């Protein structure tokens, strides 16, 4: 009987694996489709369409794109400029883009996404602890490796405790609502990451927004916020779109003066800023004055996924009880935990990889400036090449790929209107030759499209 039912379903297009896409019927669905298609066409017309290229190799300084772009990444490995083996990509050329695509758009700051020890740790965790927990942690989802990683994160940041999330977006979405009440106030830099903005929207605290890194405006807002019970200053440590670093010394001084707490998002700082890679608070000597640190495991620390909050133990305990993204999201997969744990081990054993970033960042910034480009930020491996025009940024990025350089143009709404740019990100595993080739390609493309004289 069940065979007959299955056959009927297959004929009607409802059988498992039939592969036929279905569109919702009815006037409302048709109206929705028409509106969505119109909005998408407007995005294309404005030159702000965001394509997602498909990578057919592991993450690294060189890539192979699906369809043949870039070298063929196989099992053979070569010695990187920091003495670590990474996959070699030197296969045949594509018809559309040249062989040896050099990747300058990843947050793989330390090159650990393809580090053999990090990969090995993920495999070992997968074999020992399985693919996943199938649940949230307070029900049946905490394993020893999760607790070990939280302890390691707290030790790395020199804080009391830490809590893991599926992403730092979730960590930012979960902290403000759990911590702040209508009696409190949060003061946020106007260019904070979207996850901080969304997290603040979810809480019922009184909200103040101060001008980007403007300490006079922050002080004025702190004075205004004195009527509230608790005041929390929230800022990115390093701002991802501009590559600039928050003036944490001045922020902490104002926080002390007006009896406020300081929260920083360290996604673009953890692992490589500061003498030991602990972030902007270490870089600027204020680790004892920043109360709460949120960061990610998905960039410098292995590049897979995951985020965390680290700070006072009572706060972490409260988040385990009240933070909704923590309470209602599955535990991090063991393989991800294994990756991040090994990445932290490598950082705490030696600061050589973190320190290798500075010279390479300086090389790119100085050569690009000498060529006539405007590079935003200072001394950060995020190097935005400021162009202004969204279409120009998009066209130049495509032309760069044709020259074997993988970069991405950023425009509104990711950045403000009129501030389109191509964001270049330097990695510890880029060679000097990689960097020089990127600068040469930018110079050629910039002249071609009128971005340079």
């Amino acid at each position: 009987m069940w065979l007959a039912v299955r056959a009927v379903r297959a004929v009607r297009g409802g059988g498992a694996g039939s592969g036929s896409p279905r569109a919702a019927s009815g006037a409302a669905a048709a109206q929705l489709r028409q509106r969505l298609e119109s909005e998408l066409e407007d995005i294309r017309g404005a030159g702000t369409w965001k394509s997602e290229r498909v990578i057919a190799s592991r993450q690294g300084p060189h890539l192979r794109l699906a369809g043949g772009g870039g070298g063929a990444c196989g099992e053979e490995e070569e010695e990187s400029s920091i003495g670590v083996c990474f996959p070699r990509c030197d296969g045949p050329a594509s018809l559309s883009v040249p062989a040896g695509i050099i990747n300058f758009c990843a947050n793989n700051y330390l090159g650990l996404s393809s580090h053999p020890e990090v990969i090995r740790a993920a495999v070992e965790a997968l074999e020992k602890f399985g693919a996943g927990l199938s649940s949230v942690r307070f029900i049946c989802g905490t394993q020893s490796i999760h607790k070990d990683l939280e302890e390691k994160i707290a030790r790395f940041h020199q804080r009391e405790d830490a809590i893991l999330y599926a992403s730092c977006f979730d960590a930012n979405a979960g902290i403000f609502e759990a911590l702040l009440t209508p009696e409190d106030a949060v003061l946020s830099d106007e260019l904070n990451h979207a996850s901080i903005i969304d997290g603040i929207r979810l809480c019922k605290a009184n909200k103040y927004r101060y001008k980007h890194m403007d300490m006079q405006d922050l002080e004025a807002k702190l004075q205004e916020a004195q009527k509230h019970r608790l005041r929390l200053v929230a800022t990115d440590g390093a701002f991802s779109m501009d590559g600039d670093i928050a003036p944490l010394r001045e922020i902490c001084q104002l926080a002390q003066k007006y009896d406020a707490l300081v929260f920083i998002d360290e996604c673009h700082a953890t692992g490589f800023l500061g003498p030991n890679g602990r972030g902007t608070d270490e870089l600027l000597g204020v680790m004892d004055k920043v109360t709460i640190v949120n960061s990610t495991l998905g960039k410098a620390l292995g590049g897979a996924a995951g985020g965390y909050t680290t700070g006072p133990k009572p706060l972490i305990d409260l988040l385990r009880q009240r933070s909704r993204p923590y309470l209602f999201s599955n535990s991090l997969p063991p393989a991800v935990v294994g990756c991040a744990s090994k990445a932290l081990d490598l950082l705490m054993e030696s600061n050589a990889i973190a320190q290798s970033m500075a010279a390479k960042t300086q090389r790119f910034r100085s050569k690009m400036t000498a060529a006539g480009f405007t590079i935003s930020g200072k001394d950060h491996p995020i190097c935005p090449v400021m162009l202004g025009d969204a279409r120009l940024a998009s066209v130049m990025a495509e032309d760069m790929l044709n020259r074997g350089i993988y970069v991405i143009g950023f425009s509104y709404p990711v950045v403000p209107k009129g501030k389109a740019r191509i964001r270049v990100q330097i990695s510890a595993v880029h060679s000097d030759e990689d960097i020089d080739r990127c600068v040469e390609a930018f110079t050629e493309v910039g002249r071609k499209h009128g971005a340079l004289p």
Side-chain angles (χ1 to χ4, degrees), residues 199-396:
I200 289 173
R201 284 174 178 163
L202 291 172
C203 79
K204 296 180 180 179
N206 299 274
K207 302 169 182 67
Y208 297 82
R209 187 174 67 170
Y210 64 92
K211 296 176 184 176
H212 181 47
M213 301 201 306
D214 186 327
M215 295 299 95
Q216 288 186 334
D217 193 39
L218 174 58
E219 182 165 20
K221 297 296 193 301
L222 280 167
Q223 291 171 345
E224 187 179 348
Q226 286 301 291
K227 56 193 174 187
H228 304 298
R229 181 188 64 172
L230 182 150
R231 292 156 296 284
L232 178 68
V233 180
T235 181
D236 280 339
F239 291 85
S240 61
M241 287 298 109
D242 293 290
D244 47 6
I245 297 171
L248 283 184
R249 291 193 189 100
E250 292 80 1
I251 289 173
C252 290
Q253 288 170 0
L254 287 174
Q256 188 170 12
K257 180 178 179 179
Y258 292 98
D259 195 23
L261 304 173
V262 177
F263 160 97
I264 56 174
D265 179 312
E266 289 285 82
C267 286
H268 293 274
T270 298
F272 57 94
L273 287 188
N276 300 289
R278 290 189 170 91
T280 54
D281 56 347
E282 183 189 45
L283 176 71
L284 299 174
V286 291
M287 291 186 71
D288 60 334
K289 295 180 173 58
V290 173
T291 307
I292 306 166
V293 175
N294 275 16
S295 194
T296 182
L297 306 174
K299 293 182 171 58
L301 301 184
Y308 58 85
T309 297
T310 184
K313 190 177 188 311
L315 169 65
I316 304 305
D317 290 342
L318 180 69
L319 293 175
R320 294 192 195 280
Q321 302 302 313
R322 292 186 179 174
S323 181
R324 291 165 68 86
Y326 175 81
L327 289 170
F328 297 102
S329 295
N330 271 18
S331 303
L332 274 179
V336 172
V337 177
C339 280
S341 185
K342 176 54 68 173
L344 279 171
D345 287 342
L346 292 172
L347 283 176
M348 288 192 282
E349 288 169 6
S350 170
N351 62 359
I353 301 178
Q355 289 185 342
S356 73
M357 292 294 303
K360 296 178 181 182
T361 298
Q362 178 59 30
R363 185 182 186 91
F364 179 81
R365 284 180 171 272
S366 61
K367 283 180 173 285
M368 285 290 286
T369 301
F373 288 102
T374 299
I375 310 299
S376 181
K378 183 182 179 183
D379 300 332
H380 194 283
I382 292 175
C383 303
V385 182
M386 304 303 295
L387 299 169
D389 181 77
R391 192 177 297 276
L392 176 63
S394 178
V395 170
M396 282 185 60

